[in-house]
Amino acid sequence: MNEKEIRPIAPPVKWMIDNAPVAYDRALSVMEDRVRAIHAGEKSDAVWLLEHPSLYTAGTSAHDEDLIEPDRFPIHRTGRGGQYTYHGPGQRIAYVMLDLKKRRPDVRWYVHALEEWIIRALAAFNVVGERRDGRVGIWVDRGGGREDKIAAIGVRIRHWITFHGIAINVEPDLTHFSGIVPCGIGDENLGVTSLVDLGLPVVMADLDAALVSAFSEVFGETES
């Protein structure tokens, strides 16, 4: 997919940022309200950057056997695609609420664009994020056959309006991923990493700036 295919003409996107952890149930409620308002033509598209307290979420494809420590953190069943994942402090969540009818009503295009957004944001820190066939998310080659996941993707679309989105590891406690088989990946050569784990002294505000810049490159205009 070339850049012309990725960058449609589209209305500006409102950015919302929460610096304090947001409870998962509250986040779901806010997203539902925004999606309804976008569908009704009452509010603009939006991207919401936030962190959650430590928790596990189970997507529509989650398998019970992939939940290794069910008592470790609260578990939230959610309507997004995907399997189990961990969310917690030090991980930037970006909930993306876009009307694809005004951009491109194509699910495969949208997921590819989310991947491209992450890859370009990581490139701001000289991190090479890569797609892998058969594996959702963005991966980093650690050498010697080892690959670690640095970003997860889980989407839901209703009336061609998106919600849920992406999660990028800045400096979460990576041991918390051991309570699940993240995204169903149990291969010993596949793990989880973060920007700080890669030796980069990145803080959340640094990633936010990279996400805003890369978003406009991929999806078009934004507003503050």
Side-chain angles (χ1 to χ4, degrees):
M1 180 180 296
N2 61 39
E3 187 171 341
K4 279 191 174 180
E5 291 174 324
I6 288 176
R7 294 186 63 182
I9 297 173
V13 172
K14 180 71 175 178
W15 288 82
M16 307 182 296
I17 300 177
D18 267 285
N19 292 316
V22 177
Y24 192 75
D25 287 342
R26 175 175 173 263
L28 288 180
S29 177
V30 170
M31 276 195 290
E32 290 277 359
D33 288 346
R34 189 80 185 201
V35 166
R36 281 193 292 269
I38 293 171
H39 182 57
E42 298 169 352
K43 289 189 176 180
S44 66
D45 292 358
V47 177
W48 186 14
L49 303 180
L50 56 91
E51 295 173 80
H52 284 308
S54 291
L55 56 92
Y56 295 131
T57 64
T60 55
S61 301
H63 302 289
D64 290 343
E65 60 269 24
D66 289 338
L67 180 60
I68 299 170
E69 297 183 33
D71 299 322
R72 188 167 188 168
F73 295 123
I75 301 160
H76 295 265
R77 303 281 172 177
T78 180
R80 64 158 175 81
Q83 302 183 42
Y84 280 103
T85 194
Y86 165 77
H87 294 316
Q91 182 187 69
R92 180 49 96 207
I93 307 294
Y95 288 136
V96 184
M97 293 155 278
L98 305 179
D99 186 347
L100 294 184
K101 295 190 301 297
K102 297 178 180 178
R103 297 170 186 276
R104 184 168 170 177
D106 182 329
V107 176
R108 291 183 65 184
W109 169 83
Y110 175 61
V111 172
H112 192 280
L114 288 178
E115 294 169 341
E116 185 68 18
W117 180 32
I118 297 167
I119 289 168
R120 293 189 186 203
L122 293 175
F125 310 103
N126 295 315
V127 173
V128 179
E130 299 178 310
R131 300 173 176 88
R132 289 291 181 266
D133 290 340
R135 285 191 254 138
V136 179
I138 298 300
W139 298 78
V140 176
D141 187 344
R142 305 300 297 271
R146 172 82 182 190
E147 294 185 343
D148 287 345
K149 190 172 189 176
I150 194 167
I153 298 173
V155 305
R156 188 175 181 184
I157 298 173
R158 182 189 298 152
H159 304 303
W160 286 111
I161 299 169
T162 70
F163 52 126
H164 297 277
I166 68 172
I168 301 177
N169 297 329
V170 178
E171 192 179 9
D173 184 339
L174 296 177
T175 65
H176 293 331
F177 285 92
S178 66
I180 56 173
V181 178
C183 300
I185 303 298
D187 190 310
E188 63 180 11
N189 290 317
L190 303 177
V192 182
T193 191
S194 69
L195 289 166
V196 170
D197 182 56
L198 293 173
L200 300 168
V202 177
V203 298
M204 205 64 74
D206 298 329
L207 179 60
D208 290 350
L211 285 169
V212 171
S213 176
F215 190 93
S216 63
E217 294 174 4
V218 175
F219 289 99
E221 286 186 77
T222 65
E223 62 183 23
S224 60

